[in-house]
Amino acid sequence: MTSELLGRALVEEATKKSGLIWVRGTAGTQALWHVWHDGAVHLVGDGPGEQPLPGLADGGEARVTVRSKDKGGRLVAWSARVTELAPGSDAWRVAAGDLKTKRLNAPDGEAVTERWARECRLLRLDPVSVTTEFPAESQAAPPPPTPAVTRDAVPAGLPKLLLRRLGRRKK
């Protein structure tokens, strides 16, 4: 019982302090901004201009990993039960109010909650089980393929040119 209470306290404290959590649903893992309210994570998304919520469905499960705010490493992971809040309900209004204070650069300012009610989903992730032990491998996903390339190698004469310019300035 004591370890369960300590685990829940760690989940709450770490998740409150972290501005970003990693959530794995049925469609993969996504970094998401959130707010901790009433013993659970609340997320808004899946609408125009908002974060995607891939594979997170009402009644489903998700895996949440919280990073340490100072070092950025994995601190705690927990399983969650996903619940979609109905727009206009008391729980939805309270959670949307908290999320509104954390939402940066909303295009519609104070009317953001009205847009969320029309076009987005607001999810609640309730902790079910906690772990602080992680696999030895990093679990980092390989970067997706991209047409972007790194720049070419530095021309051979450039270091000499730069050194000559620095030498002239010192005189």
Side-chain angles (χ1 to χ4, degrees):
M1 184 67 170
T2 303
S3 64
E4 183 180 324
L5 290 175
L6 288 174
R8 287 197 173 270
L10 177 60
V11 164
E12 181 172 351
E13 195 62 27
T15 308
K16 277 182 182 178
K17 289 185 176 184
S18 182
L20 190 69
I21 56 175
W22 293 91
V23 180
R24 185 176 64 218
T26 58
T29 303
Q30 179 80 26
L32 301 170
W33 68 273
H34 68 285
V35 69
W36 180 272
H37 171 75
D38 193 27
V41 160
H42 290 81
L43 307 164
V44 66
D46 279 353
E50 299 299 337
Q51 63 190 353
L53 302 173
L56 298 177
D58 190 27
E61 291 186 4
R63 184 79 175 156
V64 179
T65 302
V66 182
R67 64 187 177 92
S68 165
K69 189 168 182 155
D70 59 345
K71 301 287 185 188
R74 291 175 288 184
L75 185 60
V76 64
W78 45 281
S79 297
R81 183 178 51 256
V82 180
T83 308
E84 185 167 348
L85 301 179
S89 67
D90 289 339
W92 188 94
R93 279 194 298 275
V94 172
D98 284 352
L99 284 160
K100 179 179 164 183
T101 63
K102 296 285 187 176
R103 174 62 164 94
L104 301 176
N105 304 322
D108 38 7
E110 291 297 312
V112 70
T113 54
E114 294 166 17
R115 179 172 54 84
W116 288 345
R118 285 189 319 271
E119 303 172 355
C120 296
R121 297 188 311 139
L122 200 150
L123 302 179
R124 176 185 171 99
L125 277 60
D126 288 291
V128 176
S129 66
V130 180
T131 185
T132 55
E133 295 184 22
F134 300 102
E137 68 274 1
S138 76
Q139 295 182 319
T146 176
V149 295
T150 57
R151 61 188 177 133
D152 294 330
V154 176
L158 186 59
K160 289 180 187 176
L161 178 65
L162 292 175
L163 287 174
R164 238 185 296 155
R165 284 188 183 169
L166 287 174
R168 281 189 228 150
R169 287 185 186 167
K170 290 183 181 178
K171 292 181 182 178

